[in-house]
Amino acid sequence: MAKPFHLMVVTPEREFFSGEAVSVSVQSIAGTLGVMAGHVPMVSALDVGALVIQTDEHTKRTAFHSEGFIEVRPECVYILSQACEWPEEIDEKRALEAEQRAQERLAQERGDEPVSMGHSKVALMRAMTRRRIKSMSSG
Amino acid sequence: MANVSDIRYHIKSVKQTRQITNAMHMVSAARMRRALDGIAQNRSYFFHALDIIVDILNHTGDISHPYLRHRAGDKVAYIVVSGEKGLSGSYNHAVLTLADKLMAEKNVVEVYTIGSVGTSHFLRRGITPDRHFERLAEKPKLDQVRRLLTILIEQYDCGEIDELRIVYTRFINTLTREPMEQKLLPAELSDFKRGRAARPEDEVYDRSFILYDPSPKEVLNALIPQLLIGYVYGAIVHAYASENCSRMAAMDNATRSADKMIDKLTQQYHAVRQLTITNELADIIGAANAANAVRSADAAHHPEENHA
């Protein structure tokens, strides 16, 4: 059994998770990143994606995380994200609406100069990831 | 002097007002406590982001970032955070006076307000806020803060504004609040350090070997907007805590002066009531005396009738 380490997941609104974990995986801007105990100290920025926390050999939970960053320290791993939600906290209707809105915006902007295209894309990503995580847990 | 029923009516209305101020006092106290929890949460998020940015700048040398460099232009955008309602003592007045004073000195091209008191304040002065957010402070939503900052950062990127500043009320403790200004863009990291306690583990931990994935520059690019979002969110939480704290104190005072007023009116009521009774008694006694006097005068005039 792998060695546990202390994990803190914090958003500006609340402390999302604090406790021992065996491994954690997040979506960083460089790709999916998994961390276990004894990882080299590092810092990376997070994209929108799935936060997978394994607390022991049999328990694994998936949650949604928004942009943020991860800091791996010798004694502790910090994940700070603008928003984190367990699947049961995700409002699927809201995510679906946001997805449609973002898609409409993207379709409109395609013709114009792509100034804020990045933001619509991120919004679309957020909505789609939320829905994906929701469906993963219910299905 | 007022009569008894007038005073009774007055006491009743003061009592009702006292009930309202007392209720508002308790509501503000509860809201303030909730906001304080929010401050603690946000602080850890913000300072982590700040530490990492400072580390990157300290250890990786020749990296600079457009959000950290000063520009020549003088076009300033302001975010002003004020209350949603009045009845909060000097809270709104203090922050808006500071905003007015600071804005008078600069070339302000855009104003964004959070809280309806600020919005109507600027409208009265003939400045239409470019965007205003109502009820945001009561239940701060991160996505709204993100939307606001996305707009502003975009304008900074295309050169429509050269500086971004925020005016809000910083919560220090339940007795002290301080309206203050903070420059957000270009960011001055040393300013943000205020109120930050040094942590003992920082000293044992050599931060120069940290790996930045994929690269320090990319991490920095991703982190700076997040730092700003964290700061603005924190400012809103601070402002909300200050507003409720200020309202709590104001309502406590109001409740206390209502109590004093009720005491005074009750005394007055008793005095008037007793005076009325005394007057009535005096009337009765006077009348009785007069009647007696008449009777004895009659008896004196017609002594023979009594003997009959």
Side-chain angles (χ1 to χ4, degrees):
Chain A
M1 162 124 185
K3 216 174 100 200
F5 60 92
H6 195 74
L7 173 69
M8 289 260 286
V9 184
V10 181
T11 76
E13 287 156 322
R14 60 176 170 161
E15 196 180 279
F16 180 74
F17 181 91
S18 170
E20 301 289 304
V22 181
S23 87
V24 62
S25 126
V26 291
Q27 188 69 35
S28 84
I29 49 175
T32 305
L33 171 76
V35 176
M36 294 176 92
H39 198 286
V40 63
M42 70 164 283
V43 169
S44 183
L46 302 184
D47 214 340
V48 178
L51 167 71
V52 185
I53 304 173
Q54 188 164 4
T55 44
D56 59 52
E57 248 160 312
H58 314 290
T59 331
K60 196 184 219 178
R61 291 212 68 185
T62 307
F64 166 82
H65 76 77
S66 186
E67 295 106 312
F69 53 95
I70 178 168
E71 183 183 14
V72 183
R73 290 184 170 214
E75 78 285 357
C76 185
V77 175
Y78 293 97
I79 294 174
L80 293 102
S81 164
Q82 288 179 14
C84 275
E85 284 155 20
W86 293 117
E88 62 268 22
E89 292 166 345
I90 295 174
D91 186 344
E92 199 172 9
K93 198 166 144 247
R94 213 181 126 211
L96 188 64
E97 281 165 10
E99 186 178 332
Q100 282 161 353
R101 259 202 319 273
Q103 251 156 0
E104 274 165 33
R105 264 204 312 268
L106 277 175
Q108 277 172 11
E109 280 160 8
R110 210 145 282 166
D112 309 337
E113 47 174 338
V115 179
S116 63
M117 195 133 150
H119 307 305
S120 303
K121 248 186 200 149
V122 177
L124 182 63
M125 272 302 294
R126 261 199 294 273
M128 282 170 68
T129 315
R130 275 202 172 96
R131 289 189 52 215
R132 184 162 56 88
I133 287 165
K134 181 95 186 168
S135 64
M136 258 162 61
S137 73
S138 58
Chain B
M1 194 173 238
N3 66 33
V4 179
S5 65
D6 280 350
I7 298 177
R8 205 184 289 146
Y9 181 73
H10 198 166
I11 291 177
K12 205 173 147 198
S13 76
V14 173
K15 270 192 184 154
Q16 279 166 352
T17 312
R18 184 194 176 279
Q19 216 157 26
I20 295 170
T21 55
N22 196 29
M24 281 178 79
H25 171 239
M26 286 191 282
V27 168
S28 315
R31 288 193 178 152
M32 189 190 76
R33 238 166 287 148
R34 212 178 52 211
L36 291 188
D37 291 344
I39 289 181
Q41 288 305 324
N42 182 60
R43 195 172 281 168
S44 76
Y45 179 89
F46 175 76
F47 282 127
H48 253 103
L50 183 61
D51 282 348
I52 294 175
I53 291 177
V54 171
D55 275 350
I56 296 178
L57 294 174
N58 285 348
H59 296 301
T60 43
D62 56 334
I63 285 187
S64 77
H65 191 275
Y67 296 160
L68 301 175
R69 252 200 318 268
H70 283 265
R71 290 201 204 154
D74 64 343
K75 292 181 294 238
V76 187
Y78 262 97
I79 304 175
V80 180
V81 189
S82 67
E84 209 58 62
K85 293 185 279 258
L87 289 180
S88 48
S90 60
Y91 167 75
N92 285 312
H93 178 75
V95 71
L96 292 173
T97 311
L98 178 72
D100 280 347
K101 203 182 100 207
L102 294 167
M103 285 163 67
E105 297 161 2
K106 303 212 171 62
N107 174 20
V108 179
V109 289
E110 272 166 26
V111 180
Y112 295 77
T113 55
I114 296 172
S116 52
V117 175
T119 312
S120 43
H121 170 82
F122 286 114
L123 283 174
R124 252 198 320 276
R125 295 178 35 121
I127 307 166
T128 311
D130 295 82
R131 212 166 237 263
H132 48 90
F133 294 82
E134 257 87 81
R135 312 191 73 83
L136 179 58
E138 282 171 31
K139 234 183 158 222
K141 286 268 173 53
L142 202 84
D143 49 339
Q144 275 180 315
V145 176
R146 183 162 47 207
R147 211 167 301 152
L148 169 66
L149 274 221
T150 311
I151 301 168
L152 287 165
I153 290 176
E154 219 166 73
Q155 283 178 330
Y156 186 80
D157 285 341
C158 36
E160 277 174 42
I161 56 173
D162 300 306
E163 253 179 62
L164 172 61
R165 284 160 184 270
I166 183 167
V167 180
Y168 72 103
T169 311
R170 187 169 181 77
F171 182 91
I172 299 164
N173 57 41
T174 45
L175 292 174
T176 337
R177 299 166 290 280
E178 175 200 15
M180 60 169 286
E181 179 197 40
Q182 173 71 52
K183 187 153 79 173
L184 294 176
L185 278 174
E188 279 182 42
L189 298 174
S190 52
D191 278 8
F192 288 134
K193 281 276 187 193
R194 208 179 306 182
R196 161 88 159 80
R199 285 180 310 191
E201 69 255 35
D202 284 352
E203 318 209 330
V204 289
Y205 171 35
D206 185 359
R207 303 178 74 111
S208 51
F209 292 111
I210 302 173
L211 177 75
Y212 294 99
D213 183 44
S215 74
K217 196 174 169 57
E218 271 170 86
V219 173
L220 195 66
N221 279 342
L223 271 185
I224 287 182
Q226 293 199 22
L227 182 78
L228 297 180
I229 291 172
Y231 191 87
V232 173
Y233 183 86
I236 293 172
V237 179
H238 263 277
Y240 188 59
S242 307
E243 181 189 353
N244 279 300
C245 187
S246 177
R247 178 167 300 132
M248 197 174 84
M251 288 300 122
D252 196 34
N253 277 341
T255 309
R256 237 176 279 157
S257 45
D259 279 338
K260 249 186 240 159
M261 212 161 152
I262 291 171
D263 278 353
K264 217 175 101 200
L265 282 169
T266 314
Q267 261 172 19
Q268 207 181 337
Y269 170 74
H270 288 313
V272 170
R273 194 175 58 99
Q274 276 160 3
L275 190 68
T276 328
I277 293 170
T278 313
N279 282 345
E280 265 170 38
L281 278 177
D283 279 354
I284 293 168
I285 292 165
N289 279 345
N292 278 343
V294 168
R295 208 176 302 146
S296 44
D298 278 354
H301 281 289
H302 311 282
E304 65 282 8
E305 282 174 27
N306 283 343
H307 297 291

